[in-house]
Amino acid sequence: MTDVDRQIARSAELLNRTSATYRQGLVRQQRTQSIARRLTRIAVADAAILIAAVIIGFVMPLGMFGALAVMGLLIATTLMLAIFPTASAPTPEKLRDVDIRALPAQTQAWL
């Protein structure tokens, strides 16, 4: 094996290692963004429910049942937004429009 072949092998090994590390970082970043998006949606929905409850409470008293209803609505909304996925599955047209070289990365993002 010549020096050139050894250098090419070392470069290929380095490229494979850094590429895997880079991909893991991207996956972690996408996961973090997904969690942040979900938490933001939950916070906005809960804030809207609380604001509506306060406005309704100014007009007429909510009472014990109203407070329980608000609490139940907050819990249900939080669980629904936390459990169900935020993005829908891609359509076949969207799959057809993606560049073939970018398809593996897009597929991983869609999953």
Side-chain angles (χ1 to χ4, degrees), residues 9 19 22 24 55 75 94:
S19 177
Y22 178 72
Q24 288 173 352
I55 291 172
I75 292 171
K94 193 170 187 178

Side-chain angles (χ1 to χ4, degrees), residues 64-79:
M64 184 61 80
F65 180 73
L68 286 174
V70 169
M71 185 178 64
L73 191 58
L74 285 170
I75 292 171
T77 303
T78 300
L79 289 176

Side-chain angles (χ1 to χ4, degrees), residues 37-39 41-43 45-46 49 71-87:
R37 236 180 282 123
R38 284 182 187 214
L39 288 176
R41 291 177 71 192
I42 289 170
D46 286 350
I49 291 170
M71 185 178 64
L73 191 58
L74 285 170
I75 292 171
T77 303
T78 300
L79 289 176
M80 184 183 68
L81 290 176
I83 292 173
F84 294 118
T86 57

Side-chain angles (χ1 to χ4, degrees), residues 22-67:
Y22 178 72
R23 268 187 259 121
Q24 288 173 352
L26 284 179
V27 169
R28 186 177 309 128
Q29 182 182 11
Q30 289 172 350
R31 188 176 304 133
T32 303
Q33 287 176 350
S34 173
I35 291 171
R37 236 180 282 123
R38 284 182 187 214
L39 288 176
T40 303
R41 291 177 71 192
I42 289 170
V44 168
D46 286 350
I49 291 170
L50 290 174
I51 290 171
V54 167
I55 291 172
I56 292 172
F58 281 142
V59 175
M60 61 182 211
L62 289 177
M64 184 61 80
F65 180 73

